[in-house]
Amino acid sequence: MSYISIILVILLVLAVLFFISNKSVVSYDNAWIRLVKNRTIKNEDRNYLFKEDGEMLINNSKKLIFFKAKYENMAVYSNTDYLNKFMLVFSGYPSIKVTFMEGYIIENGNLYYTYAYKPSYYTKLNNWMKLNGVFQSKENWVANKNVKWNTFPSPKSYDINWEKKAMIGTLS
């Protein structure tokens, strides 16, 4: 009888260890792509088109790359663009390109985008700016001659502030 108890305890311990160590990764990518593929938004400013693979075209020219879905209705896109379009303070650097992460949310058939990052990102950006240049005024930053553009802190998906969102339009 004691052998059976020992074997049952060993099997129970093995089962618990299996479930603890077996961390499955849930991916919402396919659900997001099914939700948006071939759908459009047309408003007075821009036209948005989601392609078969989830990528987004704005006005048939600007392409945003689908990065990953956070949930079935929330996704992260990457967007490579000029730094001066990111913040007014970088207006003197129109030839520097940086990759940004942007969040998109669908609620009740409407598409929203995130327009801000978490405070921790802005702290990181401000520290980089102090190391690599000088603020001549609140709206004018000048890079040092030896600025290290390759160390610019491009926002990552975890920097997105999902609470700050604005509606783009209704998906059709």
Side-chain angles (χ1 to χ4, degrees):
M1 188 92 167
S2 65
Y3 291 116
I4 293 174
S5 298
I6 293 172
I7 291 173
L8 288 175
V9 168
I10 291 172
L11 289 175
L12 181 63
V13 168
L14 288 174
V16 168
L17 289 174
F18 173 76
F19 287 111
I20 290 173
S21 65
N22 188 17
K23 295 180 181 177
S24 60
V25 176
V26 176
S27 174
Y28 296 103
D29 293 357
N30 290 333
W32 172 262
I33 291 171
R34 279 192 306 275
L35 185 62
V36 299
K37 78 176 178 180
N38 299 322
R39 298 193 66 191
T40 61
I41 295 174
K42 295 182 182 186
N43 61 31
E44 57 276 351
D45 295 332
R46 295 184 175 122
N47 294 322
Y48 296 81
L49 168 66
F50 286 96
K51 310 271 284 187
E52 291 277 330
D53 57 3
E55 294 195 357
M56 186 189 320
L57 280 178
I58 301 173
N59 291 337
N60 291 323
S61 60
K62 184 176 180 181
K63 184 178 182 180
L64 276 66
I65 308 298
F66 173 64
F67 183 69
K68 71 176 181 176
K70 185 171 170 77
Y71 297 106
E72 291 178 3
N73 68 328
M74 298 170 74
V76 176
Y77 281 77
S78 67
N79 173 24
T80 300
D81 210 339
Y82 292 101
L83 184 62
N84 64 337
K85 292 182 180 179
F86 176 55
M87 290 177 77
L88 179 63
V89 74
F90 293 117
S91 61
Y93 306 95
S95 63
I96 307 296
K97 279 195 163 187
V98 179
T99 299
F100 301 100
M101 294 292 176
E102 301 175 1
Y104 290 85
I105 305 163
I106 296 177
E107 292 176 346
N108 300 320
N110 294 317
L111 181 68
Y112 296 81
Y113 73 97
T114 57
Y115 61 85
Y117 297 104
K118 293 177 182 173
S120 58
Y121 171 73
Y122 291 115
T123 299
K124 187 174 18 174
L125 175 62
N126 193 36
N127 290 339
W128 181 88
M129 292 172 76
K130 286 178 182 175
L131 282 173
N132 289 283
V134 180
F135 284 96
Q136 291 183 335
S137 70
K138 192 174 183 179
E139 296 167 355
N140 190 17
W141 178 81
V142 178
N144 294 334
K145 288 183 180 182
N146 59 347
V147 63
K148 296 179 179 140
W149 289 111
N150 63 338
T151 64
F152 181 84
S154 293
K156 307 296 184 222
S157 61
Y158 54 80
D159 292 318
I160 295 171
N161 184 341
W162 293 95
E163 301 299 315
K164 305 273 185 171
K165 62 184 181 184
M167 189 167 96
I168 294 174
T170 303
L171 284 166
S172 57

